[in-house]
């Protein structure tokens, strides 16, 4: 029997549209391993078309992979706390905007409400950061989250140090492994890695 059989994963996506294609196969991995996956989406994903794809196409793909409706409002996300539904919650990609708001206790989106609900229950919250200012102004927010209880990071590194020296992106293919470690109360190591894309 798989580690994930009978477990429920909350998988939240925020507006780093360039990493959606890299993230979707990781959601499929959870489903293939026997997990129930509850998709959660930011307002940006639900409303914005970009050169990386249309909103309606990403929404359809999320529903097709998971077989579940998308939690896309604060009202729908709030019951995740009292129900204690999620064994682990992932935010992937987790933008700099979401990182900053989470670090400063701001709850103004479905993803942040779901994260707050998960933390209320002292259950693991896993962040796969994707931000152009991870080594800039957002470094202070990442530092706050690094020492927060019940928060874990998908290993990350500079993705383009020559062109974007402040940019940090998680290695999305390690999401499942990070979640397994987080459920056991451990941070997957090494956490800071090389991730160059010149």
């Amino acid at each position: 029997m798989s580690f994930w059989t009978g477990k429920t994963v909350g998988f939240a996506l925020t507006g780093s549209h360039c990493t959606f294609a890299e993230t979707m196969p990781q959601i499929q991995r959870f489903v293939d391993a026997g997990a129930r996956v509850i998709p959660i989406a930011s307002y940006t994903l639900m409303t914005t078309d970009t050169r990386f794809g249309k909103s309606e196409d990403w929404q359809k793909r999320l529903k097709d992979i998971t077989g579940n409706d998308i939690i896309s409002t604060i009202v729908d996300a709030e019951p995740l706390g009292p129900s204690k539904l999620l064994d682990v919650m992932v935010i992937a990609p987790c933008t700099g905007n979401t990182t900053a708001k989470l670090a400063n206790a701001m709850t103004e989106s479905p993803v942040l409400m779901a994260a707050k609900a998960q933390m209320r229950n002292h259950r693991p919250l896993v962040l796969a950061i994707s931000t152009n200012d991870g080594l800039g102004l957002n470094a202070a927010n990442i530092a706050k989250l690094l020492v927060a209880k019940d928060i874990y990071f998908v290993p990350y590194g500079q993705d383009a140090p020559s062109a974007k020296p402040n940019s940090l992106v998680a290695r999305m293919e390690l999401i499942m492994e990070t979640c397994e470690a987080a459920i056991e109360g451990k941070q997957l190591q090494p956490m800071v890695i090389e991730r160059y894309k010149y």
Side-chain angles (χ1 to χ4, degrees):
M1 187 168 63
S2 165
F3 175 90
W4 291 102
T5 301
K7 289 185 171 62
T8 301
V9 178
F11 205 109
L13 294 90
T14 64
S16 180
H17 297 265
C18 60
T19 58
F20 286 175
E22 191 179 349
T23 302
M24 291 292 169
Q26 308 313 314
I27 302 174
Q28 186 70 58
R29 285 184 70 198
F30 283 108
V31 174
D32 291 346
R36 177 188 181 199
V37 178
I38 307 298
I40 306 160
S42 68
Y43 296 133
T44 304
L45 184 149
M46 298 299 293
T47 61
T48 308
D49 296 337
T50 73
R51 63 189 174 96
F52 300 104
K54 293 183 178 181
S55 170
E56 65 181 80
D57 293 338
W58 291 121
Q59 291 178 50
K60 183 178 185 304
R61 192 162 173 193
L62 271 176
K63 290 179 184 178
D64 288 348
I65 293 172
T66 65
N68 288 305
D69 289 334
I70 300 169
I71 292 176
S72 60
T73 69
I74 290 175
V75 172
D76 288 341
E78 192 277 334
L80 292 172
S83 70
K84 298 183 179 179
L85 178 65
L86 307 180
D87 293 291
V88 62
M89 178 179 163
V90 187
I91 305 178
C94 183
T95 61
N97 188 46
T98 299
T99 301
K101 290 176 180 178
L102 183 61
N104 290 283
M106 297 174 68
T107 310
E108 47 73 80
S109 76
V111 171
L112 290 164
M113 175 56 78
K116 178 181 177 181
Q118 183 75 349
M119 293 168 69
R120 150 186 167 163
N121 293 325
H122 295 291
R123 293 189 175 186
L125 175 64
V126 172
L127 308 179
I129 58 173
S130 179
T131 171
N132 284 329
D133 67 344
L135 293 176
L137 287 174
N138 238 326
N141 295 313
I142 291 171
K144 287 176 73 173
L145 296 173
L146 282 171
V147 298
K149 192 180 294 185
D150 304 315
I151 293 180
Y152 303 86
F153 282 79
V154 177
Y156 60 84
Q158 291 175 275
D159 61 309
S162 297
K164 302 185 294 181
N166 288 341
S167 181
L168 293 176
V169 178
R171 187 171 287 169
M172 300 302 175
E173 68 269 20
L174 294 176
I175 287 172
M176 178 180 278
E177 290 75 10
T178 305
C179 289
E180 289 181 10
I183 287 174
E184 295 174 354
K186 300 174 183 176
Q187 169 63 54
L188 187 67
Q189 297 292 346
M191 186 183 68
V192 180
I193 58 170
E194 288 188 352
R195 199 192 189 284
Y196 296 168
K197 287 184 180 178
Y198 288 105

